[in-house]
Amino acid sequence: MRLPGDEEESGMGMPVIYTIVAVSAFVLIILAVVFAANMNRNGSGNAKNKAAKPTASPTPTAEVQFAEGQEDIEALYRENKLRAEDLDFWNMYQNNETFIEAEPTPSPSPTPDAEPTDEEKAKDGKHTKVTDKDGKEEWIEISKDIPLNTYDITNIKIINGKMTYYADGEKCSFLGVDLSQNSGKVDFKFLKENGIDFVILRLGSRGYESGVVTLDESFVANITDALNAGLEVGVSFFSQAVTVQEAVDEAMFVVSNLVPYQIHYPVVFEMEHITNDDARIDILNEEDKTEIAQAFLSTIENEGYRALLYGDKSWLLTELLPEELLPEYDVMLSDQSAIPDYPYQFRLWKYAVNQEIDGVENDASYIISFVDYTRK
């Protein structure tokens, strides 16, 4: 039984089906043709592969236009199969030639340090100021070859003009008085009983004009009384020698006058300018005075006595050659300032001159010794 509308649906569907079948058949035909063509090409290739392989004929080289000289490099590369490193011309030149390197530009020399100012010298601990006999001030560099002053001035006590030095709370100094015929009559027992440990007695001098060597008028009496009073004794000689031989003669004069006595404190060499007058030693320079002092001091020590160099800061540092004498001999410093600024070591210090001292008729000078010479 055919429902209403069936005829119309079948009539409309058949053309669509015929179209699909036709298109499909056409696609299959095309695929078959393509497949057959590929089979023919592969078969031809297999036949060639099964045959003996012929020598490959060179590919024709395309003609290239080279710049002048370039064709040579290209040919060299092709014929010798050069590598990149073979074209390292720098190595090639290095092996065959010596290159001279340009000398480096010298760096500028360092600018020397500017001269320190007076204020800087006063604080740097490397300089000390000295005033010479004409009143001229100058800064002197402190030598590293001379033993330095190591005293702690804060450990000094002065009572009634008498100075005492303490170390670790204990007294380690000795008090003395400098005496000569100008001191007048001296009560040595009184000095001993009142804290004086030693005396330095003027033994003699050379005249600064005449050049005559004389014995101090009070020497014999003074040394006799001092030793009898139990005081330790040292002696001094005021020199105006102008030659080394005169200095040796002065030293031997001292030694000959000490023969009757036994002393423990040093023999002091004194040489000074004469104030407001001309003197024999005015003709000497630093080298001369140094040689003369050396001659006197060495002669004294060769005779078995302790020798000591006397002077103030100016004399020791500007009138002599310090590095020649100061490392070798003890020093008695003459300095009346509260704190001496002499930079080097000293063993005796004449710290007060022209003093009224009980037991001495005229003015005299106090000396402190930081060394017990009775044990040296």
Side-chain angles (χ1 to χ4, degrees), residues 179-186 188 201-203 215-225:
L179 301 168
S180 70
Q181 64 187 31
N182 296 327
S183 303
K185 186 177 180 180
V186 180
F188 290 96
L201 305 176
R202 172 67 56 84
L203 184 146
L215 187 69
D216 187 273
E217 293 178 2
S218 299
F219 173 70
V220 173
N222 283 345
I223 191 171
T224 301
D225 292 344

Side-chain angles (χ1 to χ4, degrees), residues 127-144:
H127 297 82
T128 186
K129 184 163 66 173
V130 178
T131 304
D132 65 18
K133 62 184 179 65
D134 299 322
K136 180 181 178 182
E137 294 182 345
E138 64 175 314
W139 287 95
I140 296 178
E141 187 172 357
I142 298 173
S143 173
K144 298 179 180 179

Side-chain angles (χ1 to χ4, degrees), residues 16-32:
V16 174
I17 294 173
Y18 293 152
T19 301
I20 292 173
V21 171
V23 170
S24 299
F26 180 74
V27 171
L28 290 174
I29 293 170
I30 292 175
L31 291 176

Side-chain angles (χ1 to χ4, degrees), residues 175-239:
L175 185 62
V177 177
D178 188 18
L179 301 168
S180 70
Q181 64 187 31
N182 296 327
S183 303
K185 186 177 180 180
V186 180
D187 187 340
F188 290 96
K189 288 184 179 180
F190 182 86
L191 293 179
K192 176 65 176 177
E193 292 170 356
N194 285 272
I196 303 301
D197 301 303
F198 69 95
V199 291
I200 300 294
L201 305 176
R202 172 67 56 84
L203 184 146
S205 61
R206 185 188 288 275
Y208 67 86
E209 290 181 331
S210 66
V212 176
V213 175
T214 58
L215 187 69
D216 187 273
E217 293 178 2
S218 299
F219 173 70
V220 173
N222 283 345
I223 191 171
T224 301
D225 292 344
L227 291 173
N228 289 338
L231 290 165
E232 295 297 338
V233 174
V235 301
S236 65
F237 186 89
F238 183 77
S239 173

Side-chain angles (χ1 to χ4, degrees), residues 24-324:
S24 299
F26 180 74
V27 171
L28 290 174
I29 293 170
I30 292 175
L31 291 176
V33 172
V34 171
F35 179 76
N38 286 336
M39 288 298 294
N40 291 334
R41 188 178 297 120
N42 289 337
S44 170
N46 290 337
K48 291 180 181 179
N49 288 336
K50 291 178 183 179
K53 294 182 180 180
T55 303
S57 56
T59 303
T61 304
E63 188 170 343
V64 181
Q65 296 297 324
F66 296 105
E68 184 178 353
Q70 186 179 355
E71 61 274 15
D72 296 335
I73 297 175
E74 294 291 339
L76 181 66
Y77 180 82
R78 290 195 304 272
E79 294 173 4
N80 295 279
K81 300 186 185 324
L82 295 178
R83 297 167 297 173
E85 55 268 27
D86 295 326
L87 298 179
D88 191 347
F89 296 108
W90 173 251
N91 290 333
M92 181 170 61
Y93 282 119
Q94 267 194 329
N95 294 334
N96 297 325
E97 296 184 26
T98 302
F99 288 89
I100 301 176
E101 295 184 1
E103 295 184 0
T105 303
S107 56
S109 301
T111 303
D113 294 336
E115 177 71 15
T117 64
D118 289 352
E119 291 77 10
E120 291 172 338
K121 290 178 180 178
K123 297 177 181 179
D124 64 9
K126 300 178 182 179
H127 297 82
T128 186
K129 184 163 66 173
V130 178
T131 304
D132 65 18
K133 62 184 179 65
D134 299 322
K136 180 181 178 182
E137 294 182 345
E138 64 175 314
W139 287 95
I140 296 178
E141 187 172 357
I142 298 173
S143 173
K144 298 179 180 179
D145 298 324
I146 302 174
L148 298 177
N149 170 13
T150 58
Y151 299 123
D152 183 354
I153 301 301
T154 62
N155 290 336
I156 287 179
K157 293 183 179 180
I158 301 178
I159 301 176
N160 296 326
K162 298 178 180 180
M163 181 180 289
T164 306
Y165 184 75
Y166 293 85
D168 298 327
E170 295 186 3
K171 176 186 174 183
C172 58
S173 63
F174 305 89
L175 185 62
V177 177
D178 188 18
L179 301 168
S180 70
Q181 64 187 31
N182 296 327
S183 303
K185 186 177 180 180
V186 180
D187 187 340
F188 290 96
K189 288 184 179 180
F190 182 86
L191 293 179
K192 176 65 176 177
E193 292 170 356
N194 285 272
I196 303 301
D197 301 303
F198 69 95
V199 291
I200 300 294
L201 305 176
R202 172 67 56 84
L203 184 146
S205 61
R206 185 188 288 275
Y208 67 86
E209 290 181 331
S210 66
V212 176
V213 175
T214 58
L215 187 69
D216 187 273
E217 293 178 2
S218 299
F219 173 70
V220 173
N222 283 345
I223 191 171
T224 301
D225 292 344
L227 291 173
N228 289 338
L231 290 165
E232 295 297 338
V233 174
V235 301
S236 65
F237 186 89
F238 183 77
S239 173
Q240 286 286 296
V242 294
T243 67
V244 168
Q245 185 56 54
E246 284 188 354
V248 172
D249 293 341
E250 291 173 352
M252 293 309 299
F253 177 82
V254 171
V255 170
S256 64
N257 282 279
L258 285 176
V259 170
Y261 315 105
Q262 184 177 10
I263 66 171
H264 297 105
Y265 269 65
V267 174
V268 181
F269 176 78
E270 295 186 19
M271 180 182 278
E272 295 178 301
H273 288 295
I274 303 301
T275 304
N276 300 324
D277 204 349
D278 295 331
R280 300 178 84 234
I281 65 169
D282 291 344
I283 64 172
L284 303 178
N285 59 28
E286 292 85 350
E287 291 81 1
D288 297 331
K289 292 192 280 282
T290 299
E291 290 180 358
I292 288 169
Q294 175 70 44
F296 182 98
L297 296 167
S298 61
T299 301
I300 290 296
E301 294 211 331
N302 289 339
E303 294 295 326
Y305 296 92
R306 188 80 176 189
L308 188 146
L309 179 65
Y310 170 87
D312 60 14
K313 181 180 179 181
S314 175
W315 181 268
L316 295 171
L317 301 188
T318 65
E319 298 292 338
L320 302 172
L321 301 178
E323 294 184 356
E324 296 292 327

